Amino acid sequence: MGDALGSDLISDLPQSIVESILVRLPIRDAVKTSILSSKWRYKWASITQLVFDEKCVDSCSDRDVVEKSVVKFITRLLFLHQGPIHKFQITISYFQSCPEIDQWILFLSRNDIKELVLELGEGEFFRIPSCLFNCKKLSRLELFRCELDPPLSFKGFLCLRSLNLHQVLISPDAIEGLISNCPLLESLSLSYFDSLALSIRAPNLKYLYLEGEFRDICLEDTPLLVEISVAMYMTDDIAEHFEQSASCNFLKFLGGVPNLERLVGHIYFTKYLSIGNDLGCLPIIYKNLETIELNQVSFEDMKEILVVLRLITSSPNLKELQISGSSNIPSATDAPDLDFWEKECSSKCRLSHLRVVQLTDMCGVPHEMELIKFLLASSPVLETMSIIPCIYVVESQLKMLTELVKFRRASAKAEIVFVRE
């Protein structure tokens, strides 16, 4: 009995279990386990996941002192580390570029690094050293506020599955080459890029997140995409470029994604899709698309309305629909094209799986009300339609309610929730 109580059961655990315990601790606490006993002195030195976040920062008001302390801590830790490092992550909000990072990446490139996350704060952009492109086993790469310039000899990351570039300086040709030379890439996130015209060729890509000033986006070879989220910022220069475009943006962007399951479009997305030649009848049906979220749709622009309608009617298994408006109230109130709805919306059209609809920033203008009328009449299993009116149209809310109660509902269970904020 005494021997059982005196034995050190934790120290005798397999290294894999010890590591699973240590990686759940803040990295400084993991290192401090070296003082527990002689057996524990170097247990931490072989963990394969190194995460440096706010938890490893000493509390001190002097930021320069803290940064120097962090740099010294990371450098010494890597010097004492034994064995491969599969994950290396720095996510300290105010950590800035410094020369030591070059040495860290060189060290990691020689130690089987698979996941690298480098999130730098304000200050100079960090220029990624060329040794990063020798990391043949890299499967996840996330860079924030960095400068990336792949060498001409770079043939791609053959194991990379996730790529996240946030405020990264890289040439258009280089980023297209980087994407197309990662044959296993499944998740791609690009944010805060300026005036970028982008063609994406990634046959295994499943998740795409874009945010920034894009002059053009073309999905050329992305047949497996299941989720897309796009936010487009508009400058005068880009707006002029859009107006001069003749090709159909809708087909360039959504014409080759038959397996799409979720689509989220933020600011200017429907505007972008509406530019170019008339859609006509779509050559694609989105059989797997269950969730559509479109923000800041202009209900005074007939082309944007057509984009919304074509997306809805081309998604036979749609279950959830969210739309927010951004109409110019005086011009949207004058809607001479109301016969559009009779032409485009067949009485036979059925949204047989649509259960939840949420409409926000609604002004009660004619085309908004026609959309609501169409959705209620075409959704036999609809459960809830939530309508949140625009805060600037208080006087027209009663009129909206009066019209709503007159609309025919295909679903006897449909509940209309009118939220007055």
Side-chain angles (χ1 to χ4, degrees), residues 300-371:
E300 62 198 76
D301 187 328
M302 297 307 300
K303 287 189 173 182
E304 284 195 50
I305 296 172
L306 185 59
V307 164
V308 173
L309 193 57
R310 291 282 164 80
L311 272 174
I312 294 173
T313 56
S314 298
S315 308
N317 294 304
L318 184 65
K319 294 181 179 179
E320 182 178 352
L321 176 65
Q322 298 181 41
I323 296 177
S324 70
S326 69
S327 296
N328 182 300
I329 299 172
S331 59
T333 302
D334 181 20
D337 304 309
L338 289 178
D339 57 341
F340 158 88
W341 293 92
E342 292 185 10
K343 296 177 183 177
E344 297 292 337
C345 303
S346 168
S347 59
K348 297 180 181 179
C349 180
R350 282 289 177 269
L351 308 175
S352 302
H353 299 275
L354 186 61
R355 297 182 181 277
V356 178
V357 174
Q358 181 175 321
L359 306 171
T360 59
D361 289 328
M362 294 290 109
C363 301
V365 296
H367 286 300
E368 290 177 351
M369 300 308 293
E370 288 294 327
L371 174 63

Side-chain angles (χ1 to χ4, degrees), residues 363-382:
C363 301
V365 296
H367 286 300
E368 290 177 351
M369 300 308 293
E370 288 294 327
L371 174 63
I372 295 173
K373 182 179 179 180
F374 164 70
L375 293 174
L376 287 173
S378 307
S379 309
V381 297
L382 185 67

Side-chain angles (χ1 to χ4, degrees), residues 24-36:
R24 286 168 170 78
L25 298 174
I27 189 67
R28 282 190 183 273
D29 292 343
V31 174
K32 288 177 182 178
T33 61
S34 61
I35 66 173
L36 294 177

Side-chain angles (χ1 to χ4, degrees), residues 14 25 83 96-97 172 219 256 290 414 416:
L25 298 174
Q96 297 187 15
S97 172
L219 304 184
E290 296 185 352
I416 299 179

